Amino acid sequence: MNLIQMASMLEFSQKGDERGHMVVVEGMKDIPFEIKRIFYIYGSDKDVIRGQHANRESQFVLINVAGTSKVRVKDGKGNEAVYSLNRPHTGIYLPQMVWKDMYDFSEDSVLLVLASTEYNAEEYIRDYDEFVKIINCGDARSK
Ligand code: TYD
């Protein structure tokens, strides 16, 4: 997996006019999956690290619709990249099976997450060593 496969920044078109800004995100058009779920994260302190997991199934797009945050992505083979989410018309696409940490939240951060799946706690890998093992050795329990 190279850095591009690990994550890619998306720039959405802005439908602004004199009344203000609007960004539209449609599944399979502006992002590479149908949207099954949305959630948003706000009120996280600057020193909080969220995420700290990989997902076997879910793909995500993260958009800071207000404020800023950072996301660190790791492929489990020693490659990592940090992306700044700091504009409401840009997002980051994260495929399944990447490790992600979200951190450095501004006080006004509202991080919108679009997901390709409904929530299933079973598909989360929350132990980094286990993630590395699965990436590098495969795993009999993989779905
Ligand atoms: P968690 O995955 O720890 O959040 P983050 O990835 O931002 O660190 O989720 C926090 C809690 O919310 C946890 O108890 C699981 C629950 N949750 C749901 O019930 N549905 C969801 O879609 C998500 C993302 C989380």
Side-chain angles (χ1 to χ4, degrees):
M1 192 180 286
N2 62 35
L3 288 181
I4 302 292
Q5 291 166 323
M6 208 156 84
S8 52
M9 289 300 296
L10 304 174
E11 180 146 358
F12 307 115
S13 66
Q14 297 181 81
K15 316 265 178 207
D17 58 30
E18 64 285 351
R19 297 169 301 166
H21 300 289
M22 180 193 283
V23 171
V24 178
V25 181
E26 291 190 51
M28 295 308 287
K29 289 187 187 163
D30 305 295
I31 64 171
F33 56 79
E34 294 288 5
I35 301 163
K36 288 270 181 61
R37 171 170 52 124
I38 71 164
F39 54 96
Y40 40 93
I41 294 165
Y42 57 97
S44 288
D45 287 338
K46 207 167 181 58
D47 56 355
V48 161
I49 303 177
R50 301 197 62 119
Q52 303 191 85
H53 54 62
N55 295 76
R56 292 179 188 273
E57 308 276 347
S58 299
Q59 304 166 65
F60 297 100
V61 168
L62 279 58
I63 304 166
N64 253 110
V65 292
T68 61
S69 70
K70 292 197 177 87
V71 53
R72 180 185 301 109
V73 188
K74 297 184 187 177
D75 69 355
K77 295 186 169 183
N79 299 308
E80 68 173 71
V82 171
Y83 299 86
S84 289
L85 298 174
N86 52 19
R87 291 178 300 167
H89 65 283
T90 61
I92 185 167
Y93 166 70
L94 301 175
Q96 53 274 83
M97 285 309 277
V98 294
W99 190 266
K100 49 217 171 262
D101 301 326
M102 292 87 82
Y103 63 103
D104 206 12
F105 295 94
S106 65
E107 219 174 291
D108 58 347
S109 173
V110 182
L111 180 59
L112 175 67
V113 182
L114 313 177
S116 65
T117 60
E118 291 171 2
Y119 182 64
N120 171 15
E122 302 291 302
E123 62 120 5
Y124 279 71
I125 304 165
R126 293 186 180 273
D127 181 86
Y128 186 71
D129 292 339
E130 186 192 350
F131 168 68
V132 170
K133 209 158 117 190
I134 294 168
I135 287 289
N136 291 289
C137 312
D139 175 35
R141 287 168 300 156
S142 297
K143 290 175 189 158

